[in-house]
Amino acid sequence: MKLPVSTEWLLHCAASLAQLEAGATASAAQLAQYFDLPAAYLAKQLQALVKAGVLAATTGPRGGFRLARPASEITLLQIVEAVDGAASPYECREIRQQGRGALPAEECQNPCILAAKMAEAHEAWRNSLATTSLSEIIAALPPSAPSRTRLRLTGTP
Amino acid sequence: MKLPVSTEWLLHCAASLAQLEAGATASAAQLAQYFDLPAAYLAKQLQALVKAGVLAATTGPRGGFRLARPASEITLLQIVEAVDGAASPYECREIRQQGRGALPAEECQNPCILAAKMAEAHEAWRNSLATTSLSEIIAALPPSAPSRTRLRLTGTP
DNA sequence: GGTCCGATACTCGGATATCAGGTGTCCGAGTAGGGGCGG
DNA sequence: CCGCCCCTACTCGGACACCTGATATCCGAGTATCGGACC
């Protein structure tokens, strides 16, 4: 069970975009320089957040990415699931219905208990991530952080 | 973030072994037939549970696998982490210290907030899995299940 | 009949191919801005 | 001096290689058992 490395990238990128002024944008190249990441691959992953409706992209000069919604309405879960997919890491293939020990269909009306427990754990994970929004992340940073981020990311204080 | 398919196999195998009488064993071939799984690959994965101390293996005729401890002391978490590893799916590579926006080391005394939140979610997932033991899984099955399992798995009622 | 011994068959354990998905890179379509020209 | 137009450069978006790790398979080392021979 491993999240893509780009998960960390996008979490930090989203947190950085949340520190810009409303409406301001940062290009993929700027974000890549800011964190020293491969620009092309980062751009590809940012598309996932656009498709998920977390970010909005504008093309052309002065274009780039910005938050599609207020930072308080973007949770860590939405970012993580945008890049990695919302599927549960445990996929029940109903092996209890296969092989010599196959259970009759009548006993399989209820979902497999093991699958249910795994789904329960996944839900606990999701709930934990859903309780934190980007605005809370920003609030935990030093007060000087947003200004510094704007300067070093876009060059406009 | 995807768990190996063998995770489901091992959970069901462990649950089946927990239904045998104390000291009884089932071979990898028997378990593979019971669930219609590739025997060789299943044997390889069962080794992981042996190394983790969840199962005990005995070679030779009448040999096979059995629980290394009482079912009440084996949690789902131990099984899942035995096959997939105990590492967190999110790996913080401290990109906040790299690139143009690199933070000074003095601000990085505290762990990255995003990494902390991800670790918190992972801990919630682990706690959820740690609260369920194999004996609780068995208890949730129909009373006739253990007898049936013993018969179809090892042939000895 | 009891006991010892050897062959046997069955078990796990690790080393070896194969394939999918994340990682990395590239080029093309589209657009907003800036400069030049004309009125 | 003002407005319009064209060009440029910059942006995202999707299509194409590469490489690590999960998947699948095989063969070898070790051992408890079963049968036979001997005492």
Side-chain angles (χ1 to χ4, degrees):
Chain A
M1 189 174 53
K2 202 182 59 167
L3 283 168
V5 178
S6 48
T7 307
E8 180 182 9
W9 305 356
L10 295 181
L11 283 173
H12 280 273
C13 284
S16 299
L17 290 175
Q19 297 177 41
L20 301 183
E21 298 181 19
T25 63
S27 70
Q30 286 174 327
L31 288 166
Q33 275 197 0
Y34 188 77
F35 291 115
D36 190 24
L37 301 175
Y41 186 38
L42 177 63
K44 176 177 171 53
Q45 303 296 47
L46 284 166
Q47 291 177 29
L49 270 81
V50 174
K51 285 191 178 176
V54 174
L55 298 186
T58 58
T59 67
R62 298 295 185 103
F65 296 93
R66 60 177 174 81
L67 298 187
R69 281 176 289 162
S72 59
E73 296 179 14
I74 297 178
T75 66
L76 299 186
L77 179 64
Q78 291 166 6
I79 299 172
V80 171
E81 289 197 337
V83 60
D84 189 58
S88 168
Y90 180 85
E91 181 188 359
C92 180
R93 301 195 179 180
E94 292 288 339
I95 66 172
R96 60 177 177 171
Q97 298 186 35
Q98 294 175 1
R100 176 176 294 175
L103 294 176
E106 61 189 27
E107 285 192 31
C108 298
Q109 301 291 337
N110 306 335
C112 175
I113 302 182
L114 289 169
K117 290 294 181 183
M118 294 300 293
E120 196 176 302
H122 183 53
E123 208 54 36
W125 182 79
R126 295 190 62 207
N127 280 335
S128 176
L129 289 182
T131 55
T132 305
S133 68
L134 270 187
S135 57
E136 299 176 56
I137 296 294
I138 306 298
L141 270 63
S144 62
S147 164
R148 173 197 165 94
T149 300
R150 285 195 289 268
L151 178 63
R152 301 230 179 169
L153 180 55
T154 65
T156 63
Chain B
M1 189 173 52
K2 200 182 61 167
L3 283 168
V5 178
S6 47
T7 306
E8 180 183 9
W9 305 355
L10 295 181
L11 283 173
H12 279 274
C13 284
S16 299
L17 290 176
Q19 297 178 40
L20 301 184
E21 299 183 18
T25 62
S27 70
Q30 286 174 328
L31 288 165
Q33 276 198 0
Y34 188 77
F35 290 116
D36 190 24
L37 301 175
Y41 186 39
L42 176 64
K44 176 176 172 53
Q45 302 296 42
L46 284 167
Q47 291 178 28
L49 270 80
V50 173
K51 285 189 179 178
V54 175
L55 298 187
T58 58
T59 66
R62 297 297 186 99
F65 296 91
R66 60 180 173 80
L67 298 187
R69 280 176 289 162
S72 57
E73 297 179 14
I74 296 177
T75 67
L76 299 187
L77 178 65
Q78 291 165 8
I79 299 173
V80 171
E81 290 196 337
V83 59
D84 190 58
S88 168
Y90 180 86
E91 182 186 359
C92 180
R93 301 196 180 180
E94 292 288 339
I95 66 172
R96 60 177 176 170
Q97 298 188 34
Q98 294 174 2
R100 177 176 294 175
L103 294 176
E106 61 189 28
E107 283 193 34
C108 298
Q109 302 291 338
N110 305 334
C112 175
I113 302 181
L114 289 169
K117 291 294 181 184
M118 295 300 293
E120 197 176 302
H122 183 53
E123 208 54 36
W125 182 78
R126 295 190 63 210
N127 280 336
S128 176
L129 289 182
T131 56
T132 305
S133 68
L134 270 186
S135 58
E136 298 176 57
I137 296 293
I138 306 299
L141 283 115
S144 62
S147 164
R148 173 199 166 93
T149 300
R150 284 196 289 269
L151 178 63
R152 300 231 181 168
L153 180 55
T154 65
T156 64

